[in-house]
Amino acid sequence: MATIDPQHAADPATLAQAWREMPDARGHFGPYGGRFVAETLMAPLEELAAAYESARNDPAFIAALDADMADYVGRPTPIYHAERLSKKAGGAQIWFKREDLNHTGAHKINNTIGQALLADRMGKTRIIAETGAGQHGVATATVAARLGLECVIFMGSEDMRRQATNVYRMRLLGAEVRPVESGSRTLKDAMNEALRDWVANVDDTFYIIGTVAGPHPYPAMVRDFQAVIGRESRRQMLERCDRLPDAIVACVGGGSNAIGLFHPFLDDASVEIYGVEAGGDGVATGRHAAPLSAGRSGVLHGNRTYLMQDDNGQISATHSVSAGLDYPGVGPEHSWLKDIGRAHYVAVDDNDALAAFHECTRIEGIMPALESAHAVAYAQKLAATMAPDRIVLVNMSGRGDKDMASVAEAAGERL
Amino acid sequence: MSRLDTRFSALREAGRTALIPYLTAGDPRPDATVGFMHALVAAGADVIEVGVPFTDPMADGPVIQAACERALVHGTSLSQVLDMVAEFRRDDGDTPVVLMGYLNPIDRLGLAGFAERAAAVGVDGVLIVDMTAEEAPEIMPTLNAHGLDAVCLIAPTTSESRMARICENAGGFVYYVSFKGVTGSSSLDVSSLGGQIERIRGYSRLPVAVGFGVRTAANAADVARVADAVVVGSTLVRCIADGGDDLAATREALGTTLAGMRSAIDAQDSNNREERRA
């Protein structure tokens, strides 16, 4: 196992080598990740890991994936210079990576396209997925419709209320949306329920996890499918600005859009990396969803990672205005990047995210998803501390159309 | 010899199948659990499996999830569960107790400290549902060093190579998950059970217990035909749910349900012995 002593994290050569080798064969990112599941799931996870390994080394699979990314998803997505927002921040130049322009409105489809092609290749006929804000559910229902696969989406009943439009979209796409009433009735409970379904239906069912969490190989596989964001961004920045950005910023719930942006930049020592967690009512209040900022290492949903938990090891209820960030864990690679100091993790609370949503909407004409608004808010703060010749690249991970009800509710209005 | 080994070898000599009831500690409230455990022993339990409540029991069905939620309303912690075992041990020094739960509460308490306290209060075995053989190198030796048996799960999907690795570390008994699914969710397919158990016996000399899906006395007898032990969980937890605040009534219902299974198993055992003689 490749291990890293955080005390020696300053040695860039060792680090660069280490993150290219992560995870190890058993899915560990340093002390994080791994496979902590009930025995019944071990065989299907091994089958999945082998199938993915074979697919990613198969030029025909990669060609099919690339073709879908271009013709169906609409990639490459552009980078956009948010000049008015930059001027308002009064410092560095803020650029957006426009994942909101993808088919279905968010980065989620980068991953579901990849996993659905893999499911098809493995001969699975039924797709299941968990969803929080509904973007992953919609992206999954979309690819299932296209490939003619049966599709069941698990969604917390609280999230179904917050994201009614996305529930309707999934149903129009032919998916069955199953309400989850256990626990806090949000994303983590939807994931429990999807895992339970998978245990019972491993023979014909492929579980498309929507983020870089879960048991190995999911964190690495989802990262690989999302890394197209960072690869494109890196190339586009060099083409447009003849240089790399000084800082890159993305919101982190489970962390798939963030790792997708970050990973191709890990070797670029000049690029500062910022992951923005959901501060909810404020990290100090305990009502938030910021495990990297205020959690501790533990085991949930098949992997070891930072978790929000109490002193007895029970998982804490989370709070965020954005359903997509409302998760008590985070992808294990983020936990490792935090420990070795390669990425910084910060929190933005509900009010600041909502303010950024409104500002971005009014002065750029771009309505960010509430998740992405957390990243925009932090980028504004960060840019203000930097010189105007500096560049901050923000992942605009999704569009905000789905959030109209939440935004109106926060403003005390009714649609 | 550990308490589990002693119990299982006595049962084997007598040609009897072990009956292992499960309950979630702290359900419906913390002061109920020890009384329930004694009632189960009186009704014929050979080993007791005590579930440590967890917020996210991903291998359990709705019945045990709800039990966890009821226990957690009262803040039932792993530390309190260990206190319950200590209290049980004051009146029962013989019945083996196996803790069953998820890794995170143990991780939070600290593995070494947990193992030391668990052994001291009289826990005999520990089954960590989401702890796989691959991730276990640190955990198994720590449990073993404190004289605790690491009870391991084997599933219908477990490959031969994994089975060998799992059996190498396992202690107490091997827990065979009788079908692909979560606890309490489906009924048993006894036809394939015999072959699966024979497969496990090729790798381990430990007794094989079968759980997940034993609902009725008839199910229990069917399992007793081929396995060394029968685990019954959701059916008993349902008794606890139905009993609500009336703990005396619940103790009686638990006793009646388990005693029914006990007699069915005993009848099957005596048939098994006859067959062997013939």
Side-chain angles (χ1 to χ4, degrees):
Chain A
M1 185 170 114
T3 50
I4 274 285
D5 177 357
Q7 301 305 313
H8 297 95
D11 174 5
T14 314
L15 276 184
Q17 192 192 0
W19 52 62
R20 274 193 298 267
E21 286 173 3
M22 290 290 169
D24 70 11
R26 293 192 290 116
H28 295 107
F29 300 86
Y32 303 107
R35 248 182 213 158
F36 296 86
V37 293
E39 178 57 28
T40 311
L41 287 181
M42 285 305 287
L45 286 169
E46 283 173 355
E47 183 196 0
L48 174 62
Y52 174 58
E53 199 51 35
S54 131
R56 77 190 190 102
N57 292 303
D58 178 354
F61 180 83
I62 300 299
L65 181 63
D66 288 348
D68 276 359
M69 289 289 204
D71 301 341
Y72 192 69
V73 178
R75 303 205 70 92
T77 58
I79 54 171
Y80 163 77
H81 185 193
E83 289 185 66
R84 295 187 70 207
L85 197 73
S86 306
K87 207 162 286 166
K88 191 91 188 286
Q93 302 309 305
I94 298 172
W95 288 67
F96 293 157
K97 174 63 173 168
R98 298 292 309 276
E99 291 300 297
D100 57 320
L101 296 179
N102 283 327
H103 179 42
T104 72
H107 72 289
K108 291 292 186 188
I109 198 158
N110 299 330
N111 169 48
T112 60
I113 285 272
Q115 289 198 53
L117 286 176
L118 190 57
D120 204 32
R121 184 182 161 102
M122 292 172 74
K124 305 288 184 185
T125 54
R126 179 173 177 268
I127 297 286
I128 58 170
E130 83 295 340
T131 197
Q135 289 303 101
H136 175 57
V138 167
T140 302
T142 298
V143 295
R146 175 167 177 250
L147 294 175
L149 302 168
E150 183 190 345
C151 182
V152 177
I153 306 292
F154 295 90
M155 189 170 188
S157 56
E158 168 64 14
D159 287 341
M160 287 178 72
R161 185 190 67 77
R162 288 195 281 190
Q163 304 290 346
T165 314
N166 269 346
V167 172
Y168 189 58
R169 286 169 82 192
M170 288 183 263
R171 288 182 174 148
L172 290 175
L173 287 159
E176 178 194 344
V177 182
R178 279 200 204 153
V180 176
E181 301 286 357
S182 57
S184 57
R185 296 188 286 277
T186 58
L187 180 54
K188 94 176 161 73
D189 308 285
M191 198 154 174
N192 289 334
E193 217 47 51
L195 283 162
R196 290 180 184 120
D197 181 289
W198 198 32
V199 170
N201 299 290
V202 286
D203 295 331
D204 67 346
T205 297
F206 189 106
Y207 178 15
I208 299 188
I209 292 184
T211 192
V212 286
H216 179 64
Y218 284 101
M221 177 172 68
V222 176
R223 173 197 70 195
D224 294 349
F225 288 135
Q226 292 293 0
V228 65
I229 302 171
R231 284 197 305 272
E232 282 178 9
S233 297
R234 203 171 176 285
R235 193 185 67 230
Q236 290 166 323
M237 289 304 307
L238 290 171
E239 281 167 9
R240 292 285 299 275
C241 304
D242 204 23
R243 52 172 300 211
L244 294 176
D246 300 285
I248 55 178
V249 181
C251 64
V252 177
S256 69
N257 90 82
I259 213 77
L261 176 67
F262 297 171
H263 201 261
F265 285 98
L266 289 176
D267 281 343
D268 299 309
S270 68
V271 180
E272 294 284 336
I273 297 177
Y274 296 90
V276 185
E277 297 192 294
D281 290 346
V283 170
T285 66
R287 280 176 50 76
H288 59 84
L292 290 167
S293 305
R296 289 177 291 193
S297 167
V299 172
L300 179 71
H301 292 151
N303 64 115
R304 180 176 288 283
T305 192
Y306 276 85
L307 295 176
M308 288 182 55
Q309 54 179 312
D310 67 15
D311 290 339
N312 297 322
Q314 304 296 345
I315 307 306
S316 309
T318 52
H319 169 78
S320 170
V321 67
S322 73
L325 300 182
D326 212 346
Y327 181 66
V330 62
E333 193 164 11
H334 287 293
S335 294
W336 182 68
L337 290 174
K338 172 190 161 76
D339 280 10
I340 63 170
R342 179 61 186 102
H344 312 283
Y345 294 90
V346 296
V348 160
D349 65 26
D350 285 355
N351 288 338
D352 287 357
L354 283 162
F357 169 90
H358 287 293
E359 191 152 72
C360 189
T361 301
R362 292 294 291 271
I363 71 176
E364 290 293 348
I366 293 175
M367 214 175 266
L370 284 178
E371 291 78 10
S372 321
H374 286 73
V376 173
Y378 188 74
Q380 289 176 290
K381 277 188 216 168
L382 182 66
T385 68
M386 296 164 70
D389 62 344
R390 301 279 151 170
I391 297 173
V392 175
L393 176 68
V394 183
N395 197 9
M396 183 59 67
S397 55
R399 65 179 188 221
D401 308 44
K402 69 182 172 61
D403 292 316
M404 293 304 95
S406 299
V407 170
E409 194 179 309
E413 294 165 26
R414 285 198 62 174
L415 291 182
Chain B
M1 214 189 219
S2 78
R3 223 180 256 123
L4 277 165
D5 293 341
T6 307
R7 177 59 48 106
F8 274 108
S9 62
L11 287 164
R12 188 172 297 189
E13 250 163 59
R16 300 186 66 207
T17 303
L19 176 55
I20 309 182
Y22 165 97
L23 48 69
T24 303
D27 172 31
R29 27 183 248 238
D31 63 356
T33 303
V34 174
F36 289 172
M37 290 169 74
H38 288 306
L40 292 169
V41 173
D46 296 299
V47 175
I48 296 188
E49 217 172 80
V50 177
V52 179
F54 184 49
T55 38
D56 296 80
M58 66 180 186
D60 286 298
V63 173
I64 291 177
Q65 272 180 67
C68 286
E69 289 182 13
R70 287 192 296 271
L72 289 171
V73 166
H74 301 284
T76 308
S77 65
L78 175 55
S79 185
Q80 284 172 290
V81 176
L82 293 173
D83 293 342
M84 292 173 196
V85 177
E87 194 188 330
F88 173 76
R89 277 278 170 259
R90 284 209 287 270
D91 299 308
D92 187 331
D94 300 324
T95 309
V97 172
V98 173
L99 294 190
M100 180 170 183
Y102 294 80
L103 182 57
N104 203 53
I106 295 175
D107 198 60
R108 189 75 259 131
L109 195 62
L111 177 65
F114 159 75
E116 191 180 334
R117 258 193 78 196
V121 300
V123 169
D124 303 289
V126 178
L127 195 177
I128 306 172
V129 177
D130 52 351
M131 183 78 240
T132 53
E134 284 75 2
E135 302 289 349
E138 18 147 9
I139 293 187
M140 301 285 192
T142 310
L143 294 178
N144 293 336
H146 290 87
L148 296 167
D149 284 318
V151 176
C152 292
L153 295 173
I154 286 182
T157 52
T158 304
S159 66
E160 302 286 325
S161 63
R162 285 184 50 73
M163 202 179 286
R165 193 179 326 168
I166 292 168
C167 290
E168 196 180 313
N169 288 307
F173 59 94
V174 170
Y175 189 136
Y176 181 65
V177 177
S178 60
F179 59 82
K180 297 171 197 163
V182 294
T183 52
S185 60
S186 127
S187 49
L188 210 53
D189 172 19
V190 218
S191 58
S192 64
L193 213 49
Q196 293 282 10
I197 290 172
E198 281 317 305
R199 203 162 72 99
I200 296 168
R201 293 203 203 282
Y203 293 94
S204 176
R205 299 168 66 95
L206 292 173
V208 179
V210 171
F212 286 43
V214 180
R215 294 181 165 189
T216 62
N219 291 153
D222 281 343
V223 172
R225 203 190 309 264
V226 287
D228 303 303
V230 180
V231 184
V232 51
S234 297
T235 298
L236 298 174
V237 172
R238 215 172 277 121
C239 290
I240 296 175
D242 293 345
D245 281 339
D246 190 346
L247 301 185
T250 303
R251 278 195 296 273
E252 202 181 318
L254 286 173
T256 311
T257 307
L258 199 72
M261 294 190 165
R262 177 82 266 171
S263 357
I265 291 171
D266 287 346
Q268 181 62 46
D269 283 345
S270 108
N271 285 348
N272 289 354
R273 287 194 297 268
E274 300 271 314
E275 272 172 38
R276 234 167 284 145
R277 266 197 294 271

